[in-house]
Amino acid sequence: MDVIVTLIMLILFIILLVFVFSVGLMTPVVGKRNILFVIFIGFMVGAIGGTFFISPIYDDIPEIVRGFYEATSNAPETVYVDLSHDVDIKEFIDDVRGVEGVKDIKIEYIFLKTDNFTSERGELIKNGIPVIDSNVTYCKVDPRGTILCGIKGGDPQATIDRISDWLILTSEIYTKYSVVRVSIDTNANKINNLREYLSSKSIAISSIKGPVEEKIENLKASMPPKSAVVASCGLIGILTGLAGIFIDSIIAFLAAIRRKLGR
């Protein structure tokens, strides 16, 4: 949500409060029924405004704070990206190294989703993959059809092809899809450069780790639930309506305080 939309939302909420205040002003005689009516209208209008105008702004607070931190901090951040098999990994790595602010990029692991296999076959796969490809440093398998391998170099696409062919030839296990997990080290105040490049390639960021992201997670954990925000807006509506009813008394009270302070 951009600044203009945020301002429009706030203005619309203030307009609703002005309406509630006007309802309070239009109450000619203060009585129990009038006060209850204004309280009801104030809460309902405030809650509705909180739901439709304040809640979207509230949802965007973490992103607003993240943008502030990223613009003012040069803390190291690590961006994780999952690349499909049809992406040219070598070309991607070369391009990312040229993005301003990127310090390092490395392959974390490769992931293959395959047909299901038995536990016994899984042990053979776990022990056999590092043998058929020396670039594989470790291998984790799940009989439900997942294989995760760490690699230390080489071409990850070639490794995936080699593993896939070996699985078909030895076990008739077919690979449904594969993913290459890549980590990119950069600075927080340069991360937008990386976002723009990835967006231009239609590649989504899987996750981000670093001091800025930790602050955002702590902020999210400390934020009250959205229902509390809506209820608070309803309370603001009630107070606004009551202020409209008792505006004359409020003005007289403030004037009395001013006179006392002026002595």
Side-chain angles (χ1 to χ4, degrees):
M1 186 183 299
D2 57 29
V3 176
I4 295 177
V5 175
T6 300
L7 290 175
I8 291 174
M9 294 281 197
L10 290 174
I11 291 171
L12 291 174
F13 182 70
I14 291 173
I15 290 174
L16 289 180
L17 294 181
V18 170
F19 167 75
V20 174
F21 186 78
S22 300
V23 172
L25 287 176
M26 291 171 61
T27 305
V29 180
V30 178
K32 290 184 178 180
R33 291 184 179 180
N34 292 329
I35 293 177
L36 292 176
F37 174 74
V38 172
I39 289 175
F40 174 76
I41 292 296
F43 180 81
M44 292 301 299
V45 173
I48 291 172
T51 301
F52 292 100
F53 302 135
I54 302 301
S55 289
I57 299 175
Y58 182 76
D59 291 338
D60 273 358
I61 288 178
E63 292 303 318
I64 294 172
V65 174
R66 177 184 280 109
F68 172 78
Y69 280 138
E70 289 180 353
T72 58
S73 172
N74 62 350
E77 297 286 304
T78 301
V79 178
Y80 294 91
V81 177
D82 289 334
L83 304 176
S84 61
H85 186 247
D86 58 355
V87 175
D88 189 322
I89 305 299
K90 288 185 176 180
E91 179 182 348
F92 175 82
I93 291 175
D94 290 339
D95 290 345
V96 170
R97 289 190 189 279
V99 175
E100 183 184 0
V102 171
K103 295 181 177 181
D104 190 23
I105 176 171
K106 55 182 176 289
I107 307 297
E108 294 292 319
Y109 58 78
I110 58 175
F111 173 86
L112 290 82
K113 177 61 181 174
T114 69
D115 297 330
N116 294 346
F117 46 82
T118 64
S119 298
E120 292 76 12
R121 177 59 61 180
E123 285 299 317
L124 294 174
I125 293 173
K126 179 180 177 180
N127 297 326
I129 288 179
V131 175
I132 66 168
D133 194 310
S134 59
N135 291 318
V136 176
T137 57
Y138 66 88
C139 187
K140 297 180 181 179
V141 301
D142 187 319
R144 288 172 293 185
T146 62
I147 301 173
L148 187 148
C149 300
I151 58 176
K152 61 183 178 181
D155 184 355
Q157 288 174 316
T159 297
I160 290 173
D161 292 337
R162 194 172 294 114
I163 294 173
S164 298
D165 292 341
W166 180 74
L167 289 173
I168 294 174
L169 291 173
T170 60
S171 311
E172 293 188 354
I173 297 173
Y174 289 85
T175 300
K176 298 178 180 179
Y177 64 86
S178 61
V179 171
V180 179
R181 168 60 66 95
V182 176
S183 64
I184 307 168
D185 295 332
T186 183
N187 289 332
N189 56 4
K190 299 293 184 180
I191 203 168
N192 276 335
N193 297 331
L194 181 59
R195 282 200 182 99
E196 290 175 2
Y197 168 76
L198 294 175
S199 178
S200 69
K201 299 297 183 180
S202 300
I203 297 174
I205 293 176
S206 299
S207 61
I208 303 175
K209 290 184 180 180
V212 170
E213 202 61 28
E214 289 177 3
K215 291 178 181 178
I216 300 303
E217 292 301 319
N218 292 335
L219 172 63
K220 290 180 179 179
S222 64
M223 291 174 67
K226 193 182 298 185
S227 57
V229 175
V230 174
S232 298
C233 291
L235 178 60
I236 292 173
I238 292 174
L239 295 176
T240 303
L242 293 177
I245 293 176
F246 299 107
I247 186 64
D248 293 335
S249 299
I250 294 172
I251 292 175
F253 176 73
L254 294 176
I257 293 177
R258 189 179 305 166
R259 286 194 298 270
K260 290 182 179 179
L261 294 176
R263 291 179 181 177

